[in-house]
């Protein structure tokens, strides 16, 4: 017979002997199965343990939870034996039973002394559940008898009233239960009769009937028990428990609190993984009550209830599972067969080892020859790429590129201009500023100095040096806002030309909370409420209703701006989703980030906060001060229980939500614009893979950023009004800078402001390139891109030149007016409306009567902007 077949035979014999040594006769045993939904992180060898089920429901559930985890996750074969709680102790001592995971110490004092204290049974620690036997009654009894719970201190007159209300009866379970209720009544001369029922079910039926009729009833029970999930019960205060009282032959005091124990056979220690698991196994009262309630009131079996708990608490029970110690000694009963098998195997193995050694020697010689050839080829390749210099293979790619360029620079003669360009490239790669803003770019020379200063101020956020006193952060008290989904206010919320200013004004006039209304509608539109597991919708709506009060009354950064960004993000998700296919949690996070992205904005930019050493700049180390503050403010509100809609999120879902929130809101910092924009162009140029979560996150960041700049891409009437709001907020900061002795930021001085030039610069150099890059991936962005072109044309005319700052003159948008008067007039936003879906006439009623429309169009843009500012947020003149 070939040697390999001898090896197979030897392995089979050894396996059979080991299996036979573990065979146990498990009559009347139960076996549990459940899909725990988690793949084991390590291999477990076979074990078999026998757990004791004492037949009451909480014991059965406790054992079922342990059995499911050990069997489904650890690969341990688990048998569950139904054994009386008093009969199990000698079996545990003999090793015929492995463990009991729920022991009530107060009923087993003598057993603990005989077995645990003697060491024949091991105490493996507390279960974590505190049991308490006592007398209980429904809490409505206290309405008529407020003193009813104080049995130990009541005077005789009150006792007679209370006992009479209970019909002078204490209901107990079966007479087989260990109670001393009769002794308590006799010792304390209480006129109460102890009535035993036939079973626990009969006792619970008496309680159900009494509570259904709101009758007083006094009964013996314990916690944890499923009835506590159904009724509000009060525990009667009996004479205080003492050890001395319990050592008497007649017990006249209260039942002691029981910290439930786990006990195991000393033989179980040989099964290292299972024994360590049982030591760490830990439940609490709430877990047991929840599972008991599922069985008693929701029709689940014990196995189904335990399985449900295991599936919902993976992070809890995985802490109980530890690395199995596979170094245990071989059991005595298998030592002899194993030794014989090993001796026989050694004889066969000698020949196998010799053949194997010969084969290995040949193999190593062959591999050595291949390695020598590969090393030679590797040296040749390196020599071809890097010249004669041998570069360390562990160098980063950037270092290798720098070395190649330096070698290339030295190998031939270059002109001065060529050499300067190569040295510039080497320096940029070494500095890790490939995506930084290029202040030295040639295009900068073609821009007027004040426009250049404004763009650098917004994007580079250069910091003035004059200090001043730190500012205050506004605090907002929490309150729940009543919600009323008035759909008539949302008649064009799915259209790009939606006006958040009109929407918020109408909401304020009708007493409707704008955040709650638009937030609820849009999240329902994207199926967020039904698709995000664990989302507490009532608390989310309460959060949105409160967030509106946390926006300050600034000219621009106010609740109108927040609604404008939110609606733009809602529109963009719908436009982009067919390409990106966002996950439900990603849609929710993006919408929620839009609500919170400017919470408690002070109306000042990061430059001012840093220059004045404001508290926010100190807290956030001059890095995205406002954006970090907005995120922090949102999560501080979220820590309050009444607003915490994430309480039911799993730990992984919470981390995912928080990480995406932080990334999206920090992306709105204009100081990050060039870096983020450059990364997006690099991703989309190479072909974006939106199946990749980081790429979807980058799209989310760009969508919120575009939403934050959406006012530039709105219809001209809205764009014009928003521009004046921005300018008024700039004036507010410019006044404070002048008052603090700082250099006034570009376009923020009242004396030399040029709103048309400022808006033209921002639209041309920031907003349009960003939206055009989005249009390349998401064709639906053609709508806002067209609006930006129209607005650039209008700002060019406002600036007096009729052309943009850097582009050729644009063709005028289709309009019946071409003269100077029509150039100053505001186009009708209803003439070209971008929509997500067709809308009927009923959904888009005219906001004004025909007469008022004609009258409003006759006014200049500035007049209407002034009127609208007066009705909405006050501005500084």
């Amino acid at each position: 017979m070939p040697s390999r077949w001898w090896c197979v035979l030897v392995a089979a014999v050894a396996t059979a002997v080991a299996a036979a040594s573990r065979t146990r006769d498990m009559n009347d045993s139960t076996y549990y199965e459940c899909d725990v939904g988690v793949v084991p992180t390590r291999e477990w060898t076979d074990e078999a343990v026998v757990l004791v089920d004492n037949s009451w429901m909480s014991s059965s559930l406790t054992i079922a939870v342990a059995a499911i985890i050990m069997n489904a996750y650890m690969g341990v074969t688990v048998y569950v034996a139904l054994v009386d709680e008093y009969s199990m102790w000698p079996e545990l001592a003999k090793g015929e039973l492995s463990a009991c995971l729920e022991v009530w110490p107060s009923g087993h004092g003598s057993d603990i002394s005989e077995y645990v204290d003697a060491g024949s049974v091991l105490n493996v620690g507390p279960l974590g559940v505190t049991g308490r036997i006592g007398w209980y009654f429904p809490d409505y009894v206290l309405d008529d008898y407020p003193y009813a719970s104080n049995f130990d201190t009541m005077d005789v007159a009150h006792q007679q009233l209370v006992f009479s209300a209970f019909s002078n009866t204490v209901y107990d379970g079966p007479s087989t239960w260990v109670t001393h209720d009769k002794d308590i009544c006799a010792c304390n001369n209480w006129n109460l009769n102890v009535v035993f029922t036939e079973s626990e079910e009969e006792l619970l039926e008496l309680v159900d009937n009494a509570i259904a009729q709101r009758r007083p009833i006094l009964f013996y029970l314990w916690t944890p028990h499923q009835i506590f999930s159904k009724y509000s019960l009060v525990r009667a205060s009996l004479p205080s428990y003492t050890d001395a009282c319990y050592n008497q032959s007649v017990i006249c005091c209260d039942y002691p609190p029981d910290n439930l124990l786990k006990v195991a056979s000393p033989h179980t220690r040989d099964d290292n993984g299972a024994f360590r698991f049982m030591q760490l196994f830990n439940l609490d009262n709430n877990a047991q009550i929840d599972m008991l309630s599922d069985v008693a009131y929701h029709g689940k079996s014990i196995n189904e209830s335990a399985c449900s708990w295991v599936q919902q608490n993976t992070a809890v029970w995985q802490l109980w599972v530890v690395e199995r110690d596979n170094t245990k000694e071989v059991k005595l009963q298998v030592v002899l067969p194993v030794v014989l098998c090993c001796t026989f195997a050694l004889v066969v193995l000698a020949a196998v080892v010799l053949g194997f050694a010969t084969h290995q020697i040949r193999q190593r010689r062959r591999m050595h020859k291949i390695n020598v050839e590969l090393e030679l080829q590797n040296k040749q390749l390196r020599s071809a790429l890097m010249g004669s210099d041998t570069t360390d293979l562990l160098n980063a790619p950037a270092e290798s590129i720098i070395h190649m360029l330096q070698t290339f620079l030295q190998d031939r003669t270059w002109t001065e201009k060529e050499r300067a360009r190569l040295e510039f490239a080497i320096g940029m790669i070494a500095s890790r500023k490939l995506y930084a803003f290029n202040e030295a770019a040639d295009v900068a020379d073609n821009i007027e100095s004040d426009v250049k200063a404004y763009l650098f101020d917004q994007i580079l956020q250069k910091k003035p040096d004059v200090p001043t006193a730190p500012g205050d952060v506004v605090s907002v008290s929490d309150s729940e806002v009543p919600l009323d989904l008035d759909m008539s206010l949302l008649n064009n919320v799915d259209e790009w030309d939606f006006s958040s200013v009109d929407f918020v004004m109408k909401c304020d006039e009708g007493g409707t909370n704008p955040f709650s209304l638009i937030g609820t509608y849009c999240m329902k539109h994207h199926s967020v409420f039904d698709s995000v597991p664990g989302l507490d919708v009532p608390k989310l709506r309460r959060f949105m209703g409160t967030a509106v009060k946390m926006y300050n009354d600034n000219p621009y950064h106010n609740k109108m701006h927040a609604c404008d960004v939110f609606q733009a993000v809602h529109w963009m998700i719908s436009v982009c989703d067919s390409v990106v296919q966002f996950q439900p949690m990603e849609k929710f996070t993006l919408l929620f980030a839009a609500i919170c992205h400017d919470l408690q904005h002070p109306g000042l930019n990061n430059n001012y906060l840093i220059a004045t050493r404001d508290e926010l700049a100190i807290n956030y180390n001059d890095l995205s001060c406002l954006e970090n503050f907005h995120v922090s403010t949102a999560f501080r509100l979220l820590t309050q229980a009444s607003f915490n809609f994430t309480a039911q999120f799993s730990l992984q879902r919470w981390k995912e939500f928080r990480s995406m929130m932080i990334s999206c809101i920090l992306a709105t910092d204009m100081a990050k614009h060039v870096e983020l924009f450059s990364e997006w162009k690099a991703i989309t140029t190479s072909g974006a893979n939106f199946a990749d979560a980081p790429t979807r996150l980058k799209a989310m960041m760009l969508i919120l950023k575009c939403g934050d700049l959406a006012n530039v891409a709105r219809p001209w009437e809205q764009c014009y009004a928003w521009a004046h709001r921005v300018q008024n907020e700039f004036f507010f900061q410019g006044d404070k800078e002048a008052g603090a002795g700082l250099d006034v930021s570009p376009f923020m001085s009242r004396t030399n402001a040029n709103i048309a030039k400022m808006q033209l610069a921002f639209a041309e150099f920031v907003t349009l390139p960003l939206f055009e890059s989005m249009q390349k991936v998401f064709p639906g962005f053609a709508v806002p891109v067209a609006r930006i072109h129209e607005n650039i044309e209008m700002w060019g005319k406002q600036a007096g030149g009729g052309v943009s700052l850097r582009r050729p003159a644009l063709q005028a948008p289709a309009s019946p007016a071409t003269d100077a008067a029509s150039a100053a007039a505001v186009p009708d936003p209803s003439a070209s409306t971008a929509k997500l879906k067709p809308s009927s006439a009923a959904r888009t009623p005219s906001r004004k009567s025909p007469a008022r429309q004609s009258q409003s169009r006759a006014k200049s843009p500035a007049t209407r902007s002034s009127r609208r500012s007066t009705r909405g947020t006050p501005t500084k003149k």
Side-chain angles (χ1 to χ4, degrees):
M1 181 182 294
S3 59
R4 63 177 178 271
W5 295 112
W6 282 108
C7 293
V8 172
L9 178 61
V10 170
V13 171
T15 302
V17 171
S21 70
R22 291 184 175 273
T23 302
R24 293 171 176 165
D25 183 14
M26 287 294 104
N27 295 325
D28 301 324
S29 63
T30 307
Y31 190 70
Y32 292 93
E33 290 184 343
C34 174
D35 180 11
V36 300
V38 180
V39 178
T41 57
R42 58 180 71 86
E43 265 187 45
W44 294 81
T45 56
D46 291 336
E47 293 182 3
V49 296
V50 188
L51 302 182
V52 178
D53 182 351
N54 292 139
S55 76
W56 61 77
M57 196 184 301
S58 63
S59 172
S60 301
L61 287 166
T62 299
I63 296 303
V65 170
I68 286 170
I69 298 171
M70 284 197 286
N71 176 61
Y73 186 78
M74 298 171 59
V76 178
T77 302
V78 181
Y79 298 96
V80 180
L82 302 176
V83 183
D84 179 74
E85 61 178 313
Y86 297 102
S87 305
M88 68 179 180
W89 295 93
E91 304 298 316
L92 287 167
K94 294 176 186 176
E96 296 181 6
L97 299 174
S98 300
C100 177
L101 301 183
E102 182 172 317
V103 177
W104 290 65
S106 62
H108 295 279
S110 59
D111 294 319
I112 291 174
S113 299
E114 180 179 353
Y115 293 98
V116 177
D117 294 346
S120 59
V121 174
L122 301 178
N123 179 353
V124 294
L127 173 61
V129 176
T130 300
R132 192 66 190 268
I133 300 172
W135 295 357
Y136 293 87
F137 58 84
D139 63 348
Y140 57 73
V141 174
L142 295 177
D143 294 342
D144 296 325
Y145 306 97
Y147 42 81
S149 61
N150 302 319
F151 279 33
D152 53 340
T153 59
M154 259 190 292
D155 55 38
V156 176
H158 285 141
Q159 278 184 2
Q160 291 177 351
L161 290 173
V162 173
F163 292 170
S164 176
F166 290 128
S167 302
N168 298 98
T169 301
V170 180
Y171 290 97
D172 267 28
S175 57
T176 56
W177 288 2
V178 180
T179 73
H180 49 268
D181 292 349
K182 286 188 174 182
D183 292 343
I184 293 176
C185 294
C187 293
N188 292 282
N189 296 319
W190 289 346
N191 183 23
L192 291 171
N193 297 318
V194 178
V195 176
F196 293 100
T197 58
E198 293 296 325
S199 63
E200 180 183 349
E201 289 73 17
E202 182 182 346
L203 175 61
L204 296 179
E205 184 177 357
L206 289 171
V207 175
D208 286 336
N209 292 337
I211 293 179
Q213 302 171 20
R214 288 188 65 84
R215 287 190 290 103
I217 184 171
L218 183 64
F219 54 95
Y220 170 98
L221 204 63
W222 62 90
T223 185
H225 192 282
Q226 67 268 19
I227 199 172
F228 288 92
S229 70
K230 187 176 182 182
Y231 302 127
S232 178
L233 303 177
V234 178
R235 189 176 186 276
S237 176
L238 303 178
S240 299
Y241 163 83
T242 62
D243 291 338
C245 169
Y246 244 63
N247 288 331
Q248 302 297 321
S249 58
V250 177
I251 299 176
C252 303
C253 58
D254 201 351
Y255 295 89
D258 265 340
N259 294 316
L260 275 55
L261 297 177
K262 300 169 292 186
V263 295
S265 168
H267 301 278
T268 311
R269 282 185 298 190
D270 294 336
D271 295 325
N272 292 275
F275 182 76
R276 183 59 178 151
F277 169 80
M278 289 185 284
Q279 284 182 311
L280 297 176
F281 181 76
N282 184 276
L283 294 176
D284 57 24
N285 288 49
N286 290 333
Q288 279 202 350
I289 289 174
D290 289 344
M291 289 189 287
L292 288 165
S293 175
D294 282 345
V295 175
Y297 305 126
H298 300 107
K300 289 186 180 180
S301 67
I302 287 175
N303 188 36
E304 289 171 340
S305 179
C307 180
S308 177
W309 187 91
V310 170
Q311 291 170 340
Q312 295 172 11
N313 294 273
T314 304
V316 175
W317 60 258
Q318 280 188 317
L319 299 176
W320 308 337
V321 180
V322 296
E323 189 82 31
R324 174 191 163 91
D325 184 3
N326 289 322
T327 61
K328 63 180 183 181
E329 297 180 1
V330 181
K331 295 185 177 179
L332 182 60
Q333 58 266 35
V334 300
V335 168
L336 184 58
V338 170
V339 170
L340 292 175
C341 290
C342 290
T343 303
F344 178 77
L346 284 174
V347 176
V348 178
L349 201 61
V352 176
V353 168
L354 182 60
F356 180 75
T358 303
H359 173 73
Q360 285 293 98
I361 291 172
R362 291 174 180 169
Q363 195 74 1
R364 291 185 64 182
R365 287 176 179 173
R366 188 167 144 230
M367 292 302 298
H368 177 71
K369 183 179 179 181
I370 293 173
N371 284 338
V372 171
E373 293 175 355
L374 290 175
E375 181 63 26
L376 179 60
Q377 293 176 8
N378 192 22
K379 287 182 178 179
Q380 292 172 348
L381 286 173
R382 284 189 294 178
S383 176
L385 288 173
M386 309 297 292
S388 59
D389 191 13
T390 56
T391 304
D392 186 0
L393 294 179
L394 296 180
N395 280 351
E399 296 179 36
S400 299
I401 293 172
I402 291 172
H403 183 81
M404 291 173 63
L405 289 174
Q406 289 173 338
T407 304
F408 194 49
L409 187 64
Q410 297 170 1
D411 281 351
R412 53 177 289 190
T413 303
W414 303 93
T415 67
E416 183 177 349
K417 186 174 182 180
E418 290 171 337
R419 178 174 294 276
R421 287 181 176 179
L422 276 173
E423 290 174 346
F424 173 76
I426 293 171
M428 288 304 298
I429 295 171
S431 69
R432 301 179 65 184
K433 293 182 179 179
L434 290 174
Y435 291 122
F437 187 82
N438 185 9
E439 296 186 51
D442 294 339
V443 70
D445 296 333
N446 301 325
I447 305 175
E448 296 181 30
S449 59
D450 55 348
V451 174
K452 184 191 301 185
Y454 166 68
L455 291 172
F456 283 10
D457 180 80
Q458 290 296 302
I459 296 175
L460 295 183
Q461 294 195 357
K462 296 182 176 179
K463 308 175 181 64
D465 298 324
V466 182
T468 186
D472 294 326
V473 178
V474 179
S475 61
V476 177
S477 62
D478 57 335
S479 62
E480 182 177 1
V481 180
L483 303 175
D484 181 14
L485 289 180
D486 183 356
M487 299 304 297
S488 66
L489 299 175
L490 297 169
N491 56 12
N492 63 340
V493 71
D494 295 330
E495 303 168 4
W496 178 251
D497 292 350
F498 173 83
S499 171
S500 64
V501 175
D502 290 347
F503 168 72
V504 172
M505 287 182 178
K506 289 180 180 179
C507 286
D508 290 346
E509 291 170 2
T512 300
N513 187 286
F515 279 25
S516 298
L517 178 58
I518 195 172
T520 300
Y521 171 81
C522 293
M523 290 190 183
K524 282 186 176 180
H525 179 89
H526 295 289
S527 302
V528 165
F529 293 158
D530 300 326
S531 305
V532 178
L535 180 64
D536 191 328
V537 176
K539 289 184 179 179
L540 170 61
R541 296 174 70 188
R542 187 179 302 129
F543 187 107
M544 293 190 295
T546 302
V548 70
K549 291 192 174 183
M550 300 178 70
Y551 276 87
N552 294 325
D553 196 20
N554 300 315
Y556 176 74
H557 287 101
N558 50 40
K559 61 186 179 183
M560 296 178 183
H561 169 66
C563 284
D564 186 62
V565 175
F566 184 86
Q567 188 274 339
V569 168
H570 156 65
W571 186 91
M572 292 174 189
I573 290 175
S574 299
V575 167
C576 302
D577 198 28
S578 61
V579 178
V580 180
Q581 296 183 351
F582 290 113
Q583 299 294 316
M585 175 59 83
E586 293 168 343
K587 292 182 183 179
F588 167 66
T589 305
L590 192 47
L591 289 168
F592 187 70
I595 289 177
C596 303
H597 82 285
D598 274 334
L599 281 177
Q600 290 190 332
H601 197 294
L604 304 164
N605 64 20
N606 283 328
N607 289 347
Y608 179 84
L609 299 179
I610 294 168
T612 58
R613 304 181 189 181
D614 188 88
E615 183 180 351
L616 294 181
I618 301 300
N619 287 345
Y620 299 111
N621 301 316
D622 297 352
L623 301 175
S624 302
C625 312
L626 287 170
E627 292 72 24
N628 274 301
F629 171 62
H630 302 323
V631 180
S632 176
T633 301
F635 279 101
R636 278 201 303 270
L637 181 60
L638 198 57
T639 60
Q640 300 182 29
S642 58
F643 301 108
N644 188 7
F645 55 80
T646 65
Q648 301 302 316
F649 280 13
S650 65
L651 180 60
Q652 180 62 31
R653 184 170 293 113
W654 161 257
K655 288 181 177 179
E656 177 187 3
F657 165 66
R658 178 166 166 79
S659 175
M660 291 191 297
M661 268 283 290
I662 294 172
S663 296
C664 288
I665 294 181
L666 292 189
T668 63
D669 184 1
M670 285 303 299
K672 299 178 182 292
H673 174 78
V674 173
E675 178 181 359
L676 183 61
F677 184 33
S678 300
E679 290 174 354
W680 173 250
K681 288 193 293 185
I683 290 172
T684 55
T685 300
S686 60
N689 176 20
F690 291 112
D692 185 38
T695 305
R696 292 199 306 275
L697 177 59
K698 194 69 68 175
M700 293 168 61
M701 295 162 67
L702 265 292
I703 286 175
L704 185 59
K705 184 171 184 63
C706 288
D708 199 25
L709 305 179
N711 62 86
V712 181
R714 297 295 191 184
W716 170 246
E717 181 183 21
Q718 296 181 39
C719 175
Y720 186 88
W722 280 118
H724 281 272
R725 290 177 177 275
V726 172
Q727 186 66 73
N728 284 331
E729 195 162 293
F730 277 10
F731 287 161
F732 171 67
Q733 176 171 321
D735 293 344
K736 294 181 72 68
E737 287 174 335
L742 301 173
D743 292 336
V744 178
S745 300
F747 292 113
M748 294 190 184
S749 172
R750 297 179 184 274
T751 59
N752 59 359
N754 189 328
I755 186 171
K757 185 183 290 187
M758 175 187 71
Q759 289 299 316
L760 195 57
F762 196 80
E764 284 268 276
F765 291 99
V766 178
T767 313
L768 184 59
L770 177 63
F771 275 70
E772 285 179 335
S773 72
M774 295 292 282
Q775 183 186 356
K776 292 177 181 178
V777 184
F778 311 114
F781 267 74
V783 175
V785 167
R787 287 283 185 266
I788 298 174
H789 279 292
E790 294 170 2
N791 294 337
I792 287 175
E793 182 74 8
M794 295 300 294
W795 285 122
K797 294 177 180 179
Q798 291 280 324
V803 295
S804 66
L805 293 178
R806 64 168 184 168
R807 298 173 180 264
L810 299 173
Q811 294 298 321
S815 173
T818 57
D819 56 9
S822 63
V826 179
D828 182 2
S830 64
S832 177
T833 304
K835 303 180 181 179
L836 294 176
K837 55 188 178 182
S839 60
S840 64
R843 290 198 60 218
T844 56
S846 176
R847 294 196 298 266
K848 304 176 184 176
S849 66
R852 291 194 63 191
Q853 286 181 340
S854 300
Q855 183 180 2
S856 65
R857 289 197 181 101
K859 297 179 180 180
S860 69
T863 304
R864 284 199 299 277
S865 175
S866 175
R867 173 173 53 83
R868 196 168 271 185
S869 297
T870 305
R871 293 178 57 199
T873 304
T875 59
K876 290 184 176 292
K877 299 297 181 184

